[in-house]
């Protein structure tokens, strides 16, 4: 970070928009300050388009006057119920600027609600209600004090020390608005800061208050933690504070090591965080994003028209890939601890987690389910001879998500045995080579039998039934195992032979 004097801050704010706001505020005779994240990010030398302005008076009045001054190039939105207004300024077809205005206020809360009782207040009142000291700084925009920093809680010192702390008693801060507990951990994760001891102890004491926060609000904060450079830091803090056991008990439950007859299994919580870190280290440009055209065929990757944040949901798959282990853990005297079918059980658990956290229940949830369900398949293939048949079946089941699945599986190799790790990664390289060869040859045409179910029903005068399914599967197995060419004549011979065995001819 970089420290600035008030004179240097005035130079940084020497922009047309801030001078326009200053002129309007002085004309109306009200104090006006830019606050919050925009101020914090000046000192962190991070770009920010999130401009929040506090007015000691009516924020809506200042916004309306600014709109009048700017004319047609500005758009005004007023939210009377919240006492806020937004001015959106179209600087060019490619660039717009949004400024949020609010009147300075003080807040009080009831125990069972995050919605505060709001009253008009002073700048001091407004800074008191802020979540963290680093977000409670303000810079004056009035002409006489333009660029003057108002920092009553030493937020600048906390920025310099890398500390997250609340302006007032953290227990009161978190009790008033429990979402601030998630934000506390989110900021610490994004900025790689430490949570001040007293503040963290309040997190532990107040964790149960998170139950009054909606799944949608928790989801937003979790996704921001997930997309940070080192998401594992956030999940360690969530676990240590007790919050994770409330919002994601399936993941929290992995934090256990059991020992029997001198044999212990690994801590699957910290293994999961290693996998998540490994996935997070993969640059987003390496993610294959497909679009589906109206005919249902996979188009070439298109990075402009993507309908889903694949990087985010691959990280969700990494976080949830082993959640089935708690339910499937068994002790086998012959081989030790086992987790048979944990991938299948975990995939079934994904839907309930997404529903509870109000995560998208469509394509995103199905994508995560698929990766959780299939995440053991490449490892099983790599653990033995890498056969064409096994790779063809894997590609058939994973489809367009095969590259993300391979990324997850390679991230899942966290063994400290370097020799074993090297062997696995070399086998994964061979799997990738075979996958690349199949994809180059148009795997969809190669893996889907050219005789479909409709033709089978017509040939044998059948309605949709078990018999049709058996015949289709016979053809599919033959193609996937490369026993016959995916051509009409050899497949028809195989079909007729199977039909005779089933007494359909």
């Amino acid at each position: 970070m970089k420290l600035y004097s008030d004179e240097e801050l005035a130079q940084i704010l020497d922009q047309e928009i801030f001078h326009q706001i200053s002129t309007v505020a002085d004309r109306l005779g009200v104090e006006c300050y830019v606050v919050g994240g925009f101020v914090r990010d000046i000192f962190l030398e991070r770009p920010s388009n999130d401009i929040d302005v506090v007015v000691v008076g009516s924020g809506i009045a200042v916004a309306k006057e600014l709109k009048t001054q700017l004319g047609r190039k500005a758009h005004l939105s007023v939210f009377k119920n919240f006492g806020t207004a937004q001015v959106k300024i179209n600087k060019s077809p490619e660039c717009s600027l949004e400024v949020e205005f609010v009147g300075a206020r003080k807040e009080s809360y009831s125990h069972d609600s995050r919605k505060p009782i709001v009253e008009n207040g002073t700048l001091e009142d407004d800074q008191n209600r802020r979540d963290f000291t680093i977000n409670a700084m303000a810079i004056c925009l009035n002409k006489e004090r333009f660029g003057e920093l108002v920092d009553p809680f030493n937020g600048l010192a906390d920025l310099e020390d890398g500390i997250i702390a609340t302006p007032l008693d953290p227990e009161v801060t978190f009790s008033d608005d429990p979402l601030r507990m998630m934000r506390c951990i989110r900021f610490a994760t994004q900025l790689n800061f430490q949570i001040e001891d007293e503040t963290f102890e309040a997190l532990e004491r107040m964790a149960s208050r998170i139950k009054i926060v909606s799944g949608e609000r928790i989801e937003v904060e979790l996704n921001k933690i997930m997309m940070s450079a080192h998401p594992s830091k956030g999940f360690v803090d969530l676990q240590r504070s007790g919050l994770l056991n409330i919002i994601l008990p399936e993941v929290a439950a992995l934090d256990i090591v059991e020992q029997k007859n001198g044999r212990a299994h690994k801590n699957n919580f910290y293994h999961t965080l290693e996998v998540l870190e490994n996935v997070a280290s993969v640059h987003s440009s390496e993610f294959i994003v497909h679009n589906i055209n109206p005919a249902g065929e996979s188009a070439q990757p298109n990075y402009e028209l993507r309908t889903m944040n694949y990087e985010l949901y691959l990280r969700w798959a990494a976080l949830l890939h082993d959640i089935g282990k708690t339910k499937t853990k068994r002790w086998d005297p012959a081989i030790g601890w086992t987790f048979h079918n944990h991938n299948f059980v975990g995939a079934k658990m994904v839907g309930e987690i997404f529903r509870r956290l109000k995560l998208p229940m469509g394509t995103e949830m199905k994508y995560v389910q698929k990766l959780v369900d299939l995440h053991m398949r490449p490892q099983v293939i790599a653990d033995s001879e890498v056969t064409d048949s096994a790779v063809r079946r894997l590609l058939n089941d994973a489809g367009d998500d095969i590259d993300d699945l391979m990324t997850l599986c390679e991230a899942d190799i966290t063994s400290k045995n370097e020799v074993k790790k090297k062997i696995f990664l070399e086998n994964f390289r061979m799997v990738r080579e075979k996958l690349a060869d199949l994809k180059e040859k148009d795997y969809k045409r190669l893996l889907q039998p050219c005789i479909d179910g409709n033709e089978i029903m017509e040939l044998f005068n059948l309605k949709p039934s078990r018999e049709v399914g058996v015949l289709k599967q016979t053809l599919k197995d033959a193609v996937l195992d490369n026993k016959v060419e995916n051509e009409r004549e050899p497949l028809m011979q195989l079909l007729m032979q199977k039909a005779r065995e089933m007494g359909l001819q």
Side-chain angles (χ1 to χ4, degrees):
M1 65 167 288
K2 188 171 181 179
L3 299 177
Y4 296 100
S5 66
D6 288 353
E7 291 75 17
E8 289 171 321
L9 289 174
Q11 290 176 4
I12 291 170
L13 296 181
D14 186 16
Q15 302 174 38
E16 185 179 7
I17 181 60
F18 294 115
H19 287 299
Q20 288 166 331
I21 295 170
S22 178
T23 299
V24 169
D26 285 345
R27 185 187 307 147
L28 295 178
V30 294
E31 292 179 40
C32 193
Y33 302 84
V34 60
V35 298
F38 187 85
V39 178
R40 178 196 69 225
D41 288 341
I42 287 175
F43 293 101
L44 291 176
E45 299 182 277
R46 301 197 317 173
S48 177
N49 294 318
D50 184 16
I51 302 177
D52 291 319
V53 173
V54 163
V55 178
V56 183
S58 172
I60 293 175
V62 173
K64 286 181 176 179
E65 185 70 13
L66 179 65
K67 159 66 176 125
T68 301
Q69 181 170 308
L70 295 174
R72 297 180 61 181
K73 67 178 181 180
H75 175 75
L76 173 68
S77 300
V78 176
F79 310 97
K80 287 185 178 179
N81 289 344
F82 299 98
T84 64
Q86 179 193 83
V87 177
K88 184 174 182 179
I89 305 155
N90 297 312
K91 303 176 75 173
S92 70
E94 299 81 23
C95 179
S96 64
L97 186 66
E98 295 180 1
V99 186
E100 299 276 350
F101 291 86
V102 64
R105 60 194 188 185
K106 55 184 175 180
E107 299 175 342
S108 58
Y109 292 79
S110 63
H111 187 74
D112 59 350
S113 174
R114 290 183 55 240
K115 294 181 180 179
I117 300 167
V118 178
E119 301 175 69
N120 293 334
T122 63
L123 175 65
E124 182 182 3
D125 291 328
D126 202 87
Q127 290 177 300
N128 285 344
R129 73 178 183 84
R130 297 280 162 175
D131 51 8
F132 307 111
T133 61
I134 63 172
N135 295 333
M137 297 181 289
I139 301 175
C140 188
L141 296 179
N142 296 93
K143 186 175 181 180
E144 284 190 9
R145 298 167 54 211
F146 192 85
E148 179 185 311
L149 177 67
V150 183
D151 181 18
F153 303 109
N154 295 316
L156 198 54
D158 285 346
L159 267 185
E160 198 170 10
D161 294 338
I163 294 293
I164 302 292
T166 59
L168 303 178
D169 181 344
E171 191 163 312
V172 174
T173 298
F174 296 148
S175 179
D176 284 349
D177 184 355
L179 185 64
R180 289 170 176 164
M181 294 189 287
M182 295 295 299
R183 286 169 57 83
C184 177
I185 291 173
R186 187 253 291 182
F187 278 120
T189 307
Q190 288 180 324
L191 300 175
N192 195 26
F193 281 16
Q194 296 302 312
I195 300 171
E196 182 250 352
D197 288 346
E198 185 180 347
T199 302
F200 195 88
E201 289 164 6
L203 281 178
E204 294 176 293
R205 290 193 300 271
M206 304 306 295
S208 63
R209 287 282 288 156
I210 200 68
K211 294 175 183 177
I212 73 167
V213 180
S214 69
E216 291 94 338
R217 300 306 298 271
I218 291 173
E219 174 212 346
V220 169
E221 297 302 324
L222 279 176
N223 284 342
K224 289 178 179 179
I225 291 170
M226 194 78 79
M227 290 303 293
S228 63
H230 295 287
S232 66
K233 173 177 168 54
F235 284 97
V236 168
D237 282 343
L238 287 170
Q239 178 73 335
R240 288 175 54 226
S241 65
L243 285 165
L244 194 65
N245 193 50
I246 298 170
I247 60 178
L248 266 175
E250 299 88 348
V251 176
L254 296 172
D255 189 9
I256 187 172
V257 174
E258 282 195 63
Q259 186 168 326
K260 198 164 186 176
N261 295 349
R263 301 174 74 173
H265 62 75
K266 64 187 173 187
N267 185 307
N268 286 302
F269 175 72
Y270 287 99
H271 161 73
T272 291
L273 297 190
E274 277 193 76
V275 177
L276 179 57
E277 283 291 307
N278 289 341
V279 166
S281 70
V282 178
H283 194 277
S284 61
S285 67
E286 296 180 25
F287 286 80
I288 302 299
V289 180
H290 295 269
N291 295 300
I292 305 300
N293 65 30
E297 297 297 322
S298 175
Q300 290 298 312
N302 185 318
Y303 294 94
E304 294 180 357
L305 301 177
R306 65 205 230 161
T307 58
M308 168 179 146
N309 185 341
Y310 280 77
E311 184 175 1
L312 170 62
Y313 290 101
L314 178 52
R315 293 185 187 204
W316 269 105
L319 183 72
L320 302 181
H321 80 284
D322 272 350
I323 53 172
K325 282 190 171 181
T326 304
K327 291 186 176 182
T328 59
K329 182 168 65 175
R330 301 288 184 273
W331 169 256
D332 184 329
I335 57 177
W337 294 103
T338 67
F339 305 92
H340 295 312
N341 292 322
H342 75 272
N343 54 311
F344 173 72
V345 172
K348 290 177 67 176
M349 295 165 68
V350 168
E352 171 54 31
I353 291 170
F354 269 53
R355 187 175 298 106
R356 186 175 71 239
L357 292 177
K358 303 299 188 290
L359 286 157
M361 295 297 293
T363 305
E364 295 85 349
M365 187 266 289
K366 291 175 182 176
Y367 168 87
V368 174
Q369 281 185 317
K370 180 197 283 190
L371 296 193
V372 172
D373 188 23
L374 295 178
H375 82 270
M376 294 298 294
R377 286 274 294 281
Q379 187 168 331
V380 171
I381 294 172
D383 202 19
S384 56
E385 183 183 354
V386 182
T387 65
D388 288 346
S389 174
V391 172
R392 290 163 76 94
R393 286 182 175 276
L394 176 65
L395 184 52
N396 176 75
D397 292 341
D400 290 336
D401 300 318
I402 185 64
D403 290 297
D404 290 353
L405 176 63
M406 292 301 298
T407 297
L408 173 61
C409 293
E410 287 166 351
D412 197 18
I413 304 302
T414 61
S415 172
K416 301 302 182 285
N417 183 325
E418 291 300 323
V419 173
K420 182 178 178 182
K421 189 174 182 178
K422 185 175 180 180
I423 291 172
F424 264 113
L425 291 177
E426 173 61 21
N427 284 353
F428 275 142
R429 185 190 62 77
M430 293 170 59
V431 172
R432 280 193 181 272
E433 284 182 0
K434 289 181 181 290
L435 287 169
D437 184 55
L438 275 173
K439 287 194 286 186
E440 190 175 325
K441 294 176 181 177
D442 186 1
Y443 77 90
K444 288 196 171 183
R445 184 183 61 78
L446 285 173
L447 303 184
Q448 297 300 320
C450 59
I451 299 174
D452 63 15
N454 290 328
E455 186 171 358
I456 290 172
M457 288 189 287
E458 188 175 331
L459 280 170
F460 300 107
N461 194 27
L462 294 172
K463 292 182 179 181
S465 59
R466 175 185 170 278
E467 286 80 5
V468 175
V470 170
L471 293 171
K472 283 177 62 179
Q473 192 61 47
T474 298
L475 298 185
K476 190 164 190 175
D477 287 342
V479 169
L480 292 176
D481 293 335
N482 206 21
K483 291 179 178 177
V484 298
E485 291 294 321
N486 191 4
E487 296 175 359
R488 186 170 184 78
E489 184 175 340
L491 283 179
M492 188 61 75
Q493 290 179 2
L494 179 62
L495 179 64
M496 293 303 173
Q497 176 185 336
K498 185 65 176 178
R500 285 194 294 273
E501 292 174 6
M502 294 172 64
L504 297 175
Q505 283 190 318

